[in-house]
Amino acid sequence: MKNIKTNQQRLWDSLMQMGEIGGTEKGGCCRLALTDLDKQARDLFIKWCEDAGCSIRIDKIGNVFARRPGKNNDLPPVVMGSHIDTQPTGGKFDGVYGVLAGLEVIRTLNDNNIETEHPVEASIWTNEEGSRFAPAMVASGVFAGVFDLEYGLSRADLDGKTMGEELERIGYAGEHEVGSPVKAFFEAHIEQGPILEEEETTIGVVTDAQGQRWYEVTLTGQEAHAGPTPMLRRKDALVGAAQIIDEVNQIGLTNQPNACATVGLLQVFPNSRNVIPGEVFFTVDFRHPDDAVLSKMDHQLREISAKIADELQLEMKFEQIWYSPPVPFNKGCVESVRQAAIDAGYSHRDIVSGAGHDACYISRVAPTGMVFVPCENGISHNEEENAKPEHLHAGCNVLLQAVINQACN
């Protein structure tokens, strides 16, 4: 079976057709979780999977599983997948490549009349991005028991709409309980960084994923007139936020190598040009593969934020809303990916994921591995995100062989 290859053109065509749903003028994709566009994309995926002979299962948090039967359907499945929701200014490959690579593996197994001992499934995980509903990877987290179902369904967007309400509205509040045995899980993904492209390497064998901490901070001062209020009497919440944001950046810079620190969302009240801001809400995203360093960054942020708020006479609400520790992936699944790359003759290297993925949570309940392929200039979460068809094909071929290795034994 090592000589079997997936269909490059079919995979590319599927990606391009899916990319039209929520397509943007700049060539990217805006398909936020549980919107009408997300429903349209889910509907198309299910149609394609049913055309490939799969049965469909949807759980109560909206995860979708398309099953190709095995010789023994009482055995736990080998599952592939990722997500199809995007950032507001996202690309056509982040997440959805892993979903459609899973479908392409199933189509290729069909083309070659290959029977696997275990069932094989392609999956969609709800709200991986966390851009509409925080935190990220909510539904895979519920599947893995990190969050309970009530918590997942109660996550609200900035308009107050909850995941549970939106799942009902678009018809994807499934009946199946969340969580079931999985023999192995594989996620194919663009790297979202520059390493593979810069080194002209085709396959990234993902050994680990770095840890993450997400925070929400609200600073409250006093709104006042921008003209009559003397500078020394102001309680300017935006000045405090600006100082903390600069410190967030410094924390990232002083904890190199590998530290990342980002403020990506800022809301100012009352947001008027001639009113001193009385309240500012912002988010902080910390990442590092070493949990001890991540904890050090956490301490530094808490200490400096409290100091700045005190000096500026601001009230502060500081909350860590999400913590995902560094993840070592299953050695057997990692080796399946590595061996598949070797057998296919692809250049490859071990790599640590800088981003969070559904695979990080699934790894808590099932042996898990990931396959990375290069993306142009390392750009992702951007409408300019791009990947070469031949690289996507190579990653899908590696995924195919890794799945065969697990599903036939």
Side-chain angles (χ1 to χ4, degrees), residues 216-237:
E216 292 184 347
V217 184
T218 302
L219 293 175
T220 304
Q222 183 178 56
E223 55 263 28
H225 199 299
T229 310
M231 295 297 291
L232 295 180
R233 296 190 62 177
R234 299 183 178 203
K235 296 181 180 180
D236 191 328

Side-chain angles (χ1 to χ4, degrees), residues 99-258:
V99 174
L100 296 184
L103 171 59
E104 177 55 34
V105 165
I106 287 174
R107 287 168 164 171
T108 301
L109 293 173
N110 289 346
D111 291 345
N112 292 274
N113 298 312
I114 294 173
E115 285 190 284
T116 56
E117 193 69 27
H118 291 253
V120 172
E121 295 184 349
S123 61
I124 294 173
W125 301 93
T126 301
N127 187 53
E128 190 272 355
E129 290 289 3
S131 58
R132 184 181 180 196
F133 305 97
M137 297 135 55
V138 171
S140 56
V142 174
F143 186 94
V146 177
F147 311 121
D148 62 36
L149 178 61
E150 182 180 355
Y151 173 87
L153 295 176
S154 69
R155 296 306 87 204
D157 66 11
L158 294 176
D159 295 323
K161 297 175 181 177
T162 68
M163 284 184 60
E165 292 166 349
E166 289 295 87
L167 282 167
E168 289 282 356
R169 185 186 67 80
I170 68 170
Y172 274 88
E175 297 180 353
H176 290 269
E177 297 299 323
V178 185
S180 56
V182 173
K183 189 198 177 186
F185 177 75
F186 291 97
E187 183 170 1
H189 212 283
I190 58 171
E191 181 196 346
Q192 300 183 283
I195 295 172
L196 295 177
E197 184 182 61
E198 287 183 356
E199 295 185 359
E200 299 183 346
T201 301
T202 302
I203 298 295
V205 181
V206 186
T207 58
D208 304 83
Q210 63 182 357
Q212 301 183 57
R213 291 180 185 264
W214 281 14
Y215 307 87
E216 292 184 347
V217 184
T218 302
L219 293 175
T220 304
Q222 183 178 56
E223 55 263 28
H225 199 299
T229 310
M231 295 297 291
L232 295 180
R233 296 190 62 177
R234 299 183 178 203
K235 296 181 180 180
D236 191 328
L238 185 55
V239 170
Q243 291 185 17
I244 294 174
I245 291 167
D246 182 62
E247 291 295 337
V248 167
N249 193 58
Q250 291 303 314
I251 289 170
L253 292 172
T254 57
N255 284 281
Q256 294 300 305
N258 301 320

